[in-house]
Each structure stands twice: as structure tokens, then as C-alpha cells.
Amino acid sequence: MAENETLALHAAALDLFAGHVHRVGPDQWAAATPCTDWSVRDLINHMTVEQLWVPPLLAGDTPAGVGDEYDGDQVGDDPVAAWDAAAADARAAFAEPVALARTVHLSYGDRPAESYCTEMAVDAVVHSWDLARGIGADDVLPPELAEFALEQVEPQAAMLAASGLFADPVPVPPGADAQTRLLGLTGRRG
């Protein structure tokens, strides 16, 4: 995947998630999401934390070096502003010259930064669906993002199922579209 395509898909995934963050109503922060034990606020906090990690990791820091800096509540009294700031910083860090050519030190080992960017984009796509469900918004993923995420998840389906990161895969009908297959592989019922 070309760098500009990776960055474009990452940006589109962040924009999709941000669109739902900005639609959260005042009475929806405690609403349930398809993510076990996560409210809408918890999900946005999780995604904000994920974005906060990007700049230090791309700058060469390690999980041990960052430590517990991003543990707990990172969205405070204004989850929308916290998300917007963290997402903007992550986007800018990935877009720096040669950023995608770097190696990042992740909790599960060293990875090419471009792969990390791809993983972050997939996470944003899947959690966009979760957030849409949590707030009762349109949960149809843009086809290009669903297909992109499926291309990344499908080859790793067995490993992901064994990892415990997602619920057990959900069977989908033959000929199902990319979104339905993606959701099934990540343990979600569309």
C-alpha cells in the first residue's frame, strides 16, 4: 500500500469516527456499545488514548518509556475536544516526512510504522460502527473502508480469534458484503 493511500485511509477512518463523536447527544455518554463493558464515553476514551500513543511511539519512545501516562480517563469534561485534539496530533505525527518508514516499538514487538498506521485505521473503522450503534446513528460503513479493514483482518482471523481482543467470530451468510464479514470476524452482529 502506498504511503499516501495508507494516510488517506487512516484519515478517512478518523473522520468517520469523529463524525460519530460529534453526534453524541448529552444523554448518550453512558449508553451501551457493542464493546463489552464500554459505554459511549468509555469507547471514546479508549480511542482517544490510542491516538495519544501515536506521537511518542512515532518519535521512538517505547511502551515502558510512556508508562502509565495515558491510563485512566483522558477525555475529562470535554470528550469531544479531547478526541479532536488527540486525533489531530496522531494524524499530524503519521503525516510527518518519512514517519511511515520508521519502526515503532509496540507492546507486542517492533513493527513498521506504516503497519501501525494501518492497524490504527482498522481500529477506527470497527469502533466507528460500535459508536454508531451506541448512539443510534447510521452504522453503514463506507464500502472502501469496510473493504480495506476486511483485507487487513481476514488473513489474521485465526490469530485475532485466539487473542481475545474481540468476541468470538460470528457466522455470516455466504456472499455477505465486506461490512458484514468484517463485523462477523470481529465478533459483532450486524
Side-chain angles (χ1 to χ4, degrees), residues 50 180 189:
E50 292 292 312
T180 303
R189 296 185 187 280

Side-chain angles (χ1 to χ4, degrees), residues 157-169:
M159 184 274 298
L160 290 173
S163 74
L165 287 173
F166 298 113
D168 290 337

Side-chain angles (χ1 to χ4, degrees), residues 47 128 177:
M47 287 295 293
S128 289
D177 65 13

Side-chain angles (χ1 to χ4, degrees), residues 105-125:
H105 311 291
L106 303 174
S107 59
Y108 49 89
D110 290 355
R111 303 272 298 169
E114 186 168 0
S115 295
Y116 176 47
C117 186
T118 298
E119 290 171 21
M120 293 291 287
V122 170
D123 200 39
V125 170

Side-chain angles (χ1 to χ4, degrees), residues 1-188:
M1 186 176 304
E3 283 187 23
N4 62 348
E5 185 181 1
T6 301
L7 290 176
L9 289 165
H10 177 258
L14 288 182
D15 289 346
L16 180 64
F17 190 82
H20 295 310
V21 170
H22 283 263
R23 287 184 191 92
V24 177
D27 60 339
Q28 294 181 311
W29 293 103
T33 69
C35 300
T36 308
D37 298 329
W38 279 355
S39 68
V40 165
R41 189 180 197 288
D42 296 333
L43 176 58
I44 293 170
N45 186 69
H46 163 75
M47 287 295 293
T48 299
V49 167
E50 292 292 312
Q51 306 320 304
L52 291 171
W53 276 93
V54 172
L57 292 177
L58 284 175
D61 212 338
T62 64
V66 174
D68 62 3
E69 183 175 346
Y70 302 127
D71 288 358
D73 180 16
Q74 296 295 315
V75 296
D77 294 335
D78 193 346
V80 175
W83 159 260
D84 285 346
D89 289 348
R91 188 185 308 234
F94 277 125
E96 287 176 10
V98 305
L100 295 185
R102 296 177 186 148
T103 296
V104 292
H105 311 291
L106 303 174
S107 59
Y108 49 89
D110 290 355
R111 303 272 298 169
E114 186 168 0
S115 295
Y116 176 47
C117 186
T118 298
E119 290 171 21
M120 293 291 287
V122 170
D123 200 39
V125 170
V126 172
H127 284 318
S128 289
W129 183 86
D130 295 328
L131 184 53
R133 278 288 172 109
I135 64 171
D138 181 0
D139 64 5
V140 176
L141 299 171
E144 67 278 6
L145 288 179
E147 290 164 13
F148 154 75
L150 179 63
E151 286 173 13
Q152 306 310 311
V153 170
E154 216 163 27
Q156 302 176 47
M159 184 274 298
L160 290 173
S163 74
L165 287 173
F166 298 113
D168 290 337
V170 174
V172 298
D177 65 13
Q179 175 172 323
T180 303
R181 291 173 24 226
L182 173 66
L183 296 174
L185 286 172
T186 58
R188 289 153 170 86

